[in-house]
Amino acid sequence: HLTLEMDDSMTVKWWIDASFVVHPDMISHTGRPVLVGKGSIYSLSRKQWINMKSSTEAELVGVDDGMPLVLWTRNFLTAQGFKLKDNVVFQDNQSAILLEKNGKLQVDGRPII
């Protein structure tokens, strides 16, 4: 049987990553598992829906596509009575992280996404 339980950290951890232009039609791929407490409750791996010009843009598309579920999961667990301390999205692309934190809509004068 499967048992899921929240650990003492009370933190939801997401890892959202993209692989740039890995499909024959030059489209990137996104993966996003989520860990709640002591187990993964959800995982997704799928082809992105749009062509990107850089790995940074592919990462931004992956995060943008994942944010509704990140927010829904936080709201759902809170409604179930869990007092979450944090809901964290981990990434490995520093350019994408900086753009997400600073809210830039263009790079070098050209719009992104």
Side-chain angles (χ1 to χ4, degrees):
H1 75 292
L2 175 65
T3 302
L4 296 175
E5 59 184 85
M6 181 67 78
D7 62 7
D8 293 337
S9 74
M10 298 301 284
T11 299
V12 179
K13 299 174 185 170
W14 295 82
W15 285 267
I16 300 178
D17 196 22
S19 295
F20 180 57
V21 257
V22 294
H23 292 283
D25 56 0
M26 304 304 286
I27 291 184
S28 301
H29 200 92
T30 296
R32 58 177 186 253
V34 60
L35 183 76
V36 175
K38 298 182 178 180
S40 176
I41 62 167
Y42 175 81
S43 186
L44 172 86
S45 177
R46 75 169 175 212
K47 188 175 178 179
Q48 290 186 347
W49 54 274
I50 189 170
N51 287 71
M52 291 289 101
K53 294 181 180 179
S54 71
S55 61
T56 298
E57 289 178 336
E59 294 278 348
L60 291 172
V61 166
V63 169
D64 185 66
D65 286 349
M67 285 310 295
L69 192 55
V70 169
L71 298 174
W72 181 89
T73 301
R74 181 198 62 197
N75 293 338
F76 176 78
L77 291 173
T78 301
Q80 301 310 305
F82 290 99
K83 296 189 181 357
L84 299 178
K85 292 180 185 170
D86 215 345
N87 189 28
V88 182
V89 174
F90 294 99
Q91 283 194 281
D92 61 358
N93 184 305
Q94 291 300 311
S95 296
I97 292 168
L98 290 172
L99 287 167
E100 291 157 1
K101 284 185 178 181
N102 296 326
K104 298 276 185 177
L105 297 177
Q106 56 184 4
V107 177
D108 297 329
R110 90 178 162 85
I112 55 173
I113 307 189

